[in-house]
Amino acid sequence: MSAVVSKIREPLITGGKSYHDITEDLCSPTESVPNATWIFAFVASVGLLTVGLFCIFWTIWFGIGAWNLNRTIGWGWDITNFVWWIGIGHAGTLISAILLLFRQKWRTGVNRAAEAMTIFAVMCAGLFPALHTGRPWFDFFMFPYPNSRGPLWVNFNSPLLWDLFAISTYFTVSLLFWYTGLVPDFATVRDRATGLRKKIYNFLSFGWTGSAKHWQRWEYLSLVLAGLATPLVLSVHTIVSFDFATSVIPGWHTTIFPPYFVAGAVFSGFAMVLTLMIMTRKILSLEDYITIEHIESMNKVILCTGSIVGVAYLTELFVAWYSGYVYEQFAFYNRAAGIYWWSYFGMMACNVISPQIFWIKKFRRNIFITFFMSIFINIGMWFERFVIIATTLARDYLPSSWSYYYPTWVEMGIYIGTFGLFFVLFLLFTRVAPVVAIAEVKSILKTGGDQYVGKNATHAHHHAASHDHGHDSHDDHHAH
Amino acid sequence: MNNQFTFEGKQRTTLIGFIILGAICLGLSFLDNTVPYHMRFWSNFLHNTVFFTGISFISLFVLAAFTTAYGGWYVVMKRVWEAYSQFLIVGLLLMLVIIAGVWGHFHHLYHWAADGITDPNSPAYDPILAGKAGFLNKYWYTFGTIGFIGMWYFVFAVPMRRISVAEDTEGTTDFEHHERYRKFSAFFLPIAAFSSAAMIWQWVMSIDSHWYSTMFAWYSTASWFVSALALTIMTIIWLKSKGYYEQVTDEHIHDLGKLLFAFSVFWTYLWFSQFMLIWYANIGEETIYFKERVTNYPVLWYGNLVMNFVLPFLILMRNSTKRKYGTLILCCLLTFFGHWWDFFMMIKPGAKINADHAYHAAHSAGGDHGHAAHGVQGFVSGFTLPGFLEIGIFLGFLALFLYVVLGQLAKASLVPKNDPYLGESLHHHV
Amino acid sequence: MSAHKEVLYGLYDDEEIMLDAIRVANKQHLDIMDVFTPFPVHGLDPLLGLEESRLHIAGFVYGAIGTLTAFGVMTWIFTRDWPVIFGGKPYWSVPAFIPITFELTVLFASIGMVVSFYTVCGLAPGVVNPVLDDRITDDKFCIAFQTNGLSSSEIDKYSSFLKSTGASEVSSKVI
């Protein structure tokens, strides 16, 4: 089969790789002894995780009073962090599912790592509501099952319960999707390994052989799962937004929340993918697979979603004025000029204003600026959730219950701990599984490799209008 | 292969016939004064103008978005969307009529435009609308409408079209035209996002002048998008039946069908989010909007969901239906008419209340004006449901739209010969 | 299952060469046992005459089961088993049931399809399938013929086919 690739497209795999080179490059991290950077990062992450575990233990031992929540501020850092992590967990499925449906080929370079990141981020997120219940050993009460308490059922009308369903479904489906993609790549690792490693990877690869019929079903499965995961990923942050928007609290009850939360989640998710991938490509020498082209594409998504979020911020602000509803107007006045003005400022500066530099191509293709911006955006998106949650709750309808919320060291420690958990898992993942999807990269080699497309292509066949469509004056690359 | 569309005399005659039919129906609806102040005429005029101008706008938006996203597959048929975008100037001219009406008080579409609404000493004083007067006033309405549609047309639609057509003859392998086209596209996206929201609030949301929803602009934009897609599919299939666009294969049609499916679901997502949140929180000022529609316009209300979600979802779920022209056209008709119906429901109930309010206010000097309008009402043709006149007007506007579009299509090759992505588009496989 | 399969196979270096070889094999009516590739090769399915997978139909059925389960259970609980009024809404609050119904639809469809996929492919943790060549998951494209009970002249025909169509290696194996 031939595929036509426009001459204007940039290559997605550089270095003139052959299929075998791809296997070598992408399998080698799982086969070598970790280098010093990895070990140092791993030890540091375990250290952070230990801090987190200690604070979790502290919370369980002394109760939720170890946090600075009070009667009006029922949600503080816990839910802020929960929404932040869940948001980060959106990029993986977006990249693998939505970009698969939209046939954006650049996704193959980053989808594997982004999906892994999704799964780890959702794990970090789930920790917060689980602890926030106060008695985590009773968390199974949240699931509807016939019980001896009445039978007293959970409240199916509550957005908090919808959230439980959404997040557990999202976690399960993301895991299945990710693992199904990994199976053929585990087989590749298996066939290069010997002894015990071969046994382990055969176990992990489920006995994959690469038979044509299996590939056919595998592609079907990937496509249908992508089709299912696309509305699913929209639904997750939509339902998170319902947690706020179904209420009658000014600043929370606004109909734009669902799509605006989703855009924000994609925004922060891509920022985290960039943070991780810029480090990973450097440490594992994957510059030929995660090219500047990939980074630029992701920066465009960031610019787009950042602007959508900006439109939503301004819409909210405008409609608060337009509504003629004093409480709504106060809520937004309070965000911008109240006690937490700095977090509103941080949110606007990091999320809306600073990403606008990506209008300039030079900045989109600059790794240092991209890395810096990706961290900036993650901070900004954390502020966004803090603005929505803490600012609003600290200035309730009733001025006598107004207070100023700040976290205790326990709350901070748990947040730090989730970074530990996240990085421990991610670092282990880079040693165990190929960080870039081997089979998928191979399947785009002939439409994305720099020996086939782009300015320096050597294998390109001159395409002499084998089809008659009038004036075919541009020679497209016909890669065979 | 015939890439040059000719707008035949017979087609012109047919379309002009329909335009005349639409004009007659529009005139007849002026005579129907069941709802006072010729509201049937004015609401029909606004409804169709907004609907078709929106389709024109969203086509330009789609072109800009696809270009910015390095899309390749759609290029072979991008001239259709370019032609759609040229209708904007006609939309602007039509909106001038509404603007004239705002200034001359010819209609009561907008309660905020009534005299004395911001004057505390006037019996018509409305404190809420006085608070919104910084946005809801005739100056903004005029400036926004002329300024924004004018900008969409003169700053983006016309130059982008010109660049694209020039590329046919002057295109080089440096793709200089494409680069310029890409720049216009990238700038249009954020500008369009803000300006379209501002305008849809003024044109449509402000009819229910007390009500507000932050989702509204995105929701109605999604509605425009699905309509534009449905019309595009039908236009392309029609052009194919006339022997043009042999290069547009089932693969392209399949992808358009997928988009129609996906965005019908997306529209439903926005519909559900907006409705559910307002239903759930149950704040009187917000629920009144839906309460009015569910109670007094049940056929519109449920019909909207059936036509725009249930049927297209069930029909288009299978892959094969996106490749069968028959079922696909059925879905396009459903969703095209369905989203026209959706705009009908956004505009008509509020317009009727406004007219009734104004009438009560004028005939019962002060007092409890117009609360009866919120009660259960009887059937009013052209409001409770589209009547024959509405269908005639719809066809008239559609014919006008197509007249402009086909005229534009005839002016350039149907296929952008030198577009850098044309090769990919011609070899597109699902 | 037959205990032993005698397999003759050729390894190709490029998928285009392999696809051309399959076209030749189809012309000569050679009965290909299976084809193994390191990644999904486009255009391979129609050449091998593989039927379209019905996985998505199964997915639809699983999804529909999920929809009915979720909506049915919530309806039963909130209208029959333990009706409670929440927020002044009716017992049977359809809009509030939509999110969970949607989630379970997706969950049932996904789990069902993934389980079906591994089941019909015969893949599972711990399964050891014979591998013809370790490089098939790397950069070799393999066409395999089953040769049980074939005469040596027939086997020669297969192996000369493989060699003449550009296979870089031809070997046989009992699996």
Side-chain angles (χ1 to χ4, degrees):
Chain A
M1 286 293 283
S2 63
V4 176
V5 179
S6 170
K7 208 176 175 185
I8 203 169
R9 290 203 193 271
E10 299 281 343
L12 293 168
I13 304 165
T14 56
K17 303 289 181 189
S18 68
Y19 291 135
H20 182 66
D21 294 338
I22 295 175
T23 312
E24 278 297 326
D25 293 348
L26 300 182
C27 286
S28 59
T30 66
E31 291 161 350
S32 57
V33 179
N35 60 16
T37 326
W38 188 91
I39 294 172
F40 174 77
F42 189 76
V43 171
S45 306
V46 171
L48 296 180
L49 179 59
T50 315
V51 172
L53 288 175
F54 177 74
C55 291
I56 289 171
F57 169 77
W58 189 279
T59 302
I60 294 174
W61 190 257
F62 290 103
I64 214 77
W67 299 357
N68 251 355
L69 303 177
N70 63 33
R71 223 167 355 161
T72 40
I73 303 172
W75 289 351
W77 267 42
D78 46 2
I79 304 300
T80 303
N81 298 335
F82 158 71
V83 180
W84 187 75
W85 275 119
I86 280 283
I88 285 171
H90 271 56
T93 313
L94 184 105
I95 290 175
S96 13
I98 300 184
L99 299 185
L100 176 72
L101 297 182
F102 280 125
R103 294 194 209 86
Q104 294 279 348
K105 286 188 183 129
W106 56 269
R107 87 194 157 80
T108 51
V110 288
N111 63 348
R112 170 68 47 74
E115 285 171 46
M117 190 198 83
T118 287
I119 290 161
F120 305 148
V122 172
M123 288 162 80
C124 292
L127 199 60
F128 290 99
L131 287 173
H132 187 251
T133 59
R135 289 175 178 77
W137 53 95
F138 286 137
D139 278 351
F140 63 94
F141 280 15
M142 289 190 278
F143 287 93
Y145 61 97
N147 57 64
S148 56
R149 303 190 296 276
L152 192 59
W153 294 100
V154 286
N155 180 2
F156 294 106
N157 290 9
S158 164
L160 300 180
L161 187 77
W162 305 346
D163 228 354
L164 178 78
F165 275 86
I167 289 164
S168 39
T169 302
Y170 184 58
F171 181 74
T172 313
V173 175
S174 299
L175 195 65
L176 293 174
F177 197 22
W178 179 64
Y179 201 84
T180 303
L182 265 172
V183 161
D185 289 357
F186 277 142
T188 304
V189 181
R190 170 199 69 197
D191 290 344
R192 294 160 56 87
T194 49
L196 180 65
R197 280 190 77 239
K198 196 176 186 81
K199 285 214 172 78
I200 293 172
Y201 279 102
N202 186 58
F203 185 83
L204 291 173
S205 70
F206 290 9
W208 179 264
T209 57
S211 154
K213 186 69 191 170
H214 292 182
W215 275 122
Q216 185 208 25
R217 293 193 185 117
W218 182 89
E219 283 205 291
Y220 251 89
L221 182 68
S222 307
L223 212 58
V224 183
L225 279 183
L228 286 169
T230 302
L232 179 65
V233 70
L234 293 187
S235 83
V236 176
H237 229 58
T238 294
I239 291 177
V240 170
S241 84
F242 287 167
D243 290 346
F244 303 97
T246 50
S247 71
V248 290
I249 295 174
W252 285 11
H253 176 65
T254 174
T255 47
I256 209 170
F257 255 30
Y260 144 50
F261 263 52
V262 172
V266 174
F267 182 55
S268 67
F270 267 80
M272 189 56 113
V273 173
L274 277 172
T275 313
L276 285 180
M277 291 325 278
I278 288 174
M279 290 193 286
T280 310
R281 77 196 276 274
K282 184 87 197 142
I283 293 170
L284 301 181
S285 314
L286 296 172
E287 283 95 340
D288 285 330
Y289 301 95
I290 303 163
T291 62
I292 297 288
E293 210 52 42
H294 291 87
I295 290 171
E296 190 187 359
S297 296
M298 288 195 273
N299 279 333
K300 282 184 178 171
V301 176
I302 282 189
L303 177 60
C304 169
T305 49
S307 303
I308 294 176
V309 168
V311 171
Y313 289 164
L314 296 180
T315 303
E316 274 191 318
L317 204 58
F318 175 78
V319 172
W321 168 79
Y322 178 87
S323 71
Y325 179 42
V326 285
Y327 295 104
E328 191 78 22
Q329 291 170 344
F330 172 75
F332 281 86
Y333 168 79
N334 180 45
R335 281 184 189 179
I339 41 170
Y340 290 114
W341 65 270
W342 45 268
S343 63
Y344 191 77
F345 177 79
M347 161 185 119
M348 280 291 184
C350 297
N351 292 350
V352 184
I353 299 165
S354 61
Q356 303 304 327
I357 65 162
F358 283 143
W359 283 99
I360 299 159
K361 193 179 177 115
K362 210 171 74 189
F363 292 152
R364 286 199 301 265
R365 298 178 77 90
N366 182 309
I367 292 180
F368 179 74
I369 289 178
T370 304
F371 186 71
F372 186 73
M373 278 304 301
S374 72
I375 297 200
F376 223 57
I377 290 164
N378 275 315
I379 296 171
M381 285 307 292
W382 190 89
F383 274 133
E384 180 198 297
R385 279 62 177 252
F386 187 75
V387 164
I388 292 172
I389 294 169
T391 312
T392 309
L393 292 177
R395 288 289 176 271
D396 201 357
Y397 282 111
L398 199 62
S400 61
S401 19
W402 288 5
S403 60
Y404 190 84
Y405 163 81
Y406 53 90
T408 60
W409 63 269
V410 185
E411 288 172 271
M412 292 185 198
I414 296 176
Y415 183 46
I416 291 169
T418 50
F419 280 101
L421 177 63
F422 183 77
F423 282 106
V424 163
L425 291 170
F426 191 81
L427 287 166
L428 286 176
F429 157 74
T430 61
R431 309 305 314 177
V432 173
V435 184
V436 176
I438 301 176
E440 292 198 64
V441 168
K442 282 178 188 164
S443 71
I444 66 151
L445 178 65
K446 291 191 174 174
T447 53
D450 63 351
Q451 70 270 48
Y452 298 99
V453 297
K455 291 179 197 72
N456 306 318
T458 50
H459 283 53
H461 297 232
H462 190 77
H463 165 47
S466 60
H467 43 79
D468 177 23
H469 54 79
H471 307 262
D472 185 37
S473 65
H474 300 308
D475 24 340
D476 300 303
H477 295 301
H478 244 225
H480 291 279
Chain B
M1 210 170 277
N2 189 356
N3 287 333
Q4 185 54 54
F5 175 73
T6 1
F7 194 5
E8 291 160 19
K10 213 178 98 191
Q11 293 158 357
R12 283 178 196 269
T13 322
T14 316
L15 287 178
I16 289 174
F18 274 106
I19 294 172
I20 292 169
L21 170 79
I24 292 170
C25 290
L26 201 58
L28 287 175
S29 77
F30 190 80
L31 300 177
D32 176 6
N33 225 357
T34 321
V35 177
Y37 306 113
H38 308 288
M39 190 49 95
R40 186 166 183 187
F41 164 81
W42 284 105
S43 54
N44 283 336
F45 193 89
L46 178 74
H47 170 211
N48 287 287
T49 303
V50 167
F51 183 67
F52 286 100
T53 309
I55 290 178
S56 179
F57 160 77
I58 205 77
S59 306
L60 189 61
F61 191 81
V62 169
L63 277 177
F66 283 6
T67 308
T68 316
Y70 295 124
W73 66 277
Y74 72 95
V75 160
V76 64
M77 53 207 166
K78 78 176 204 181
R79 284 286 146 83
V80 174
W81 285 326
E82 280 175 14
Y84 282 8
S85 70
Q86 303 303 305
F87 181 79
L88 277 172
I89 187 67
V90 184
L92 177 56
L93 294 175
L94 293 170
M95 279 310 294
L96 288 180
V97 178
I98 303 280
I99 291 173
V102 170
W103 285 86
H105 296 292
F106 304 145
H107 57 67
H108 283 81
L109 280 169
Y110 304 110
H111 186 45
W112 50 262
D115 274 330
I117 206 91
T118 57
D119 176 9
N121 300 317
S122 157
Y125 178 66
D126 185 325
I128 296 177
L129 291 186
K132 300 182 188 200
F135 181 64
L136 296 185
N137 60 58
K138 47 194 178 184
Y139 301 99
W140 253 112
Y141 192 90
T142 311
F143 170 79
T145 306
I146 298 175
F148 286 146
I149 306 186
M151 179 177 62
W152 300 341
Y153 181 71
F154 289 108
V155 182
F156 294 102
V158 170
M160 281 166 73
R161 166 85 172 166
R162 196 186 301 130
I163 294 169
S164 172
V165 173
E167 195 178 40
D168 280 359
T169 47
E170 305 159 12
T172 60
T173 42
D174 298 338
F175 307 120
E176 182 230 345
H177 288 81
H178 183 80
E179 292 303 330
R180 266 167 58 214
Y181 195 83
R182 185 194 295 295
K183 285 208 177 83
F184 273 100
S185 302
F187 277 106
F188 183 61
L189 291 176
I191 291 172
F194 278 109
S195 53
S196 67
M199 289 337 292
I200 195 76
W201 289 333
Q202 291 219 330
W203 294 339
V204 182
M205 194 169 86
S206 78
I207 293 174
D208 291 271
S209 52
H210 283 188
W211 184 77
Y212 55 90
S213 165
T214 38
M215 173 82 95
F216 191 82
W218 295 9
Y219 168 75
S220 38
T221 309
S223 204
W224 278 338
F225 186 41
V226 180
S227 334
L229 272 175
L231 192 61
T232 306
I233 297 174
M234 290 191 286
T235 308
I236 287 174
I237 292 180
W238 178 76
L239 284 168
K240 279 181 77 70
S241 77
K242 294 280 161 197
Y244 304 103
Y245 267 153
E246 282 172 41
Q247 306 94 326
V248 178
T249 61
D250 285 0
E251 310 281 329
H252 297 99
I253 302 284
H254 187 171
D255 262 6
L256 286 171
K258 277 199 233 169
L259 276 180
L260 186 70
F261 176 75
F263 279 87
S264 290
V265 174
F266 181 71
W267 172 86
T268 315
Y269 161 67
L270 295 182
W271 178 90
F272 174 75
S273 301
Q274 177 169 273
F275 171 71
M276 197 280 290
L277 288 176
I278 288 176
W279 168 85
Y280 199 108
N282 204 8
I283 297 171
E285 290 86 339
E286 295 181 350
T287 37
I288 184 74
Y289 182 86
F290 290 116
K291 181 79 182 159
E292 171 75 10
R293 281 155 179 79
V294 178
T295 316
N296 288 329
Y297 302 84
V299 181
L300 285 184
W301 176 256
Y302 293 105
N304 188 25
L305 277 183
V306 172
M307 280 190 284
N308 293 330
F309 172 61
V310 180
L311 291 176
F313 180 78
L314 292 177
I315 297 174
L316 290 176
M317 191 153 42
R318 285 188 64 84
N319 258 346
S320 56
T321 48
K322 299 183 200 102
R323 288 170 172 266
K324 284 185 200 134
Y325 289 179
T327 44
L328 192 57
I329 284 183
L330 175 73
C331 267
C332 291
L333 285 173
L334 263 174
T335 45
F336 188 65
F337 185 68
H339 285 281
W340 180 84
W341 176 284
D342 189 19
F343 271 91
F344 186 90
M345 187 167 54
M346 290 183 216
I347 288 172
K348 291 282 178 164
K352 181 169 178 303
I353 290 173
N354 286 344
D356 288 342
H357 268 213
Y359 189 79
H360 277 274
H363 292 83
S364 66
D368 185 16
H369 50 81
H371 279 160
H374 288 308
V376 176
Q377 67 182 31
F379 179 85
V380 186
S381 185
F383 286 88
T384 314
L385 275 182
F388 287 115
L389 291 182
E390 275 68 29
I391 303 296
I393 297 167
F394 170 56
L395 293 175
F397 270 85
L398 178 60
L400 177 65
F401 184 83
L402 290 177
Y403 193 90
V404 174
V405 166
L406 295 183
Q408 288 293 333
L409 276 182
K411 283 186 185 167
S413 162
L414 285 175
V415 174
K417 295 164 198 164
N418 288 334
D419 191 288
Y421 292 109
L422 184 64
E424 285 187 14
S425 185
L426 292 170
H427 292 84
H428 176 58
H429 290 282
V430 171
Chain C
M1 274 188 92
S2 61
H4 292 291
K5 270 184 190 167
E6 292 160 28
V7 177
L8 176 75
Y9 63 95
L11 297 178
Y12 295 80
D13 291 337
D14 192 276
E15 73 273 23
E16 289 295 330
I17 307 173
M18 179 198 69
L19 288 172
D20 286 338
I22 297 172
R23 287 186 192 105
V24 175
N26 284 345
K27 251 178 229 154
Q28 300 179 0
H29 304 291
L30 300 180
D31 189 16
I32 295 173
M33 180 188 89
D34 205 345
V35 169
F36 300 92
T37 57
F39 59 85
V41 174
H42 271 272
L44 182 58
D45 306 352
L47 282 182
L48 291 177
L50 295 182
E51 280 173 40
E52 221 179 281
S53 167
R54 284 163 300 173
L55 211 50
H56 57 287
I57 301 173
F60 177 79
V61 174
Y62 298 132
I65 294 172
T67 313
L68 295 176
T69 309
F71 205 80
V73 167
M74 284 188 285
T75 300
W76 173 73
I77 289 175
F78 270 10
T79 61
R80 296 270 177 273
D81 190 50
W82 194 279
V84 181
I85 289 181
F86 293 102
K89 299 293 186 297
Y91 292 136
W92 197 55
S93 293
V94 176
F97 293 171
I98 301 286
I100 291 181
T101 307
F102 170 78
E103 297 299 332
L104 286 196
T105 305
V106 172
L107 186 68
F108 276 48
S110 306
I111 293 182
M113 279 179 58
V114 169
V115 170
S116 303
F117 167 74
Y118 287 115
T119 311
V120 292
C121 289
L123 300 173
V127 168
V128 182
N129 281 324
V131 172
L132 290 177
D133 191 293
D134 279 348
R135 289 163 300 166
I136 287 171
T137 54
D138 177 6
D139 62 348
K140 297 290 182 215
F141 302 81
C142 169
I143 298 179
F145 297 100
Q146 194 173 350
T147 51
N148 289 36
L150 293 185
S151 66
S152 62
S153 69
E154 281 173 311
I155 295 176
D156 283 348
K157 191 179 78 179
Y158 283 130
S159 82
S160 66
F161 157 79
L162 290 169
K163 280 175 193 144
S164 66
T165 52
S168 55
E169 289 168 40
V170 178
S171 352
S172 60
K173 208 169 190 175
V174 177
I175 56 173

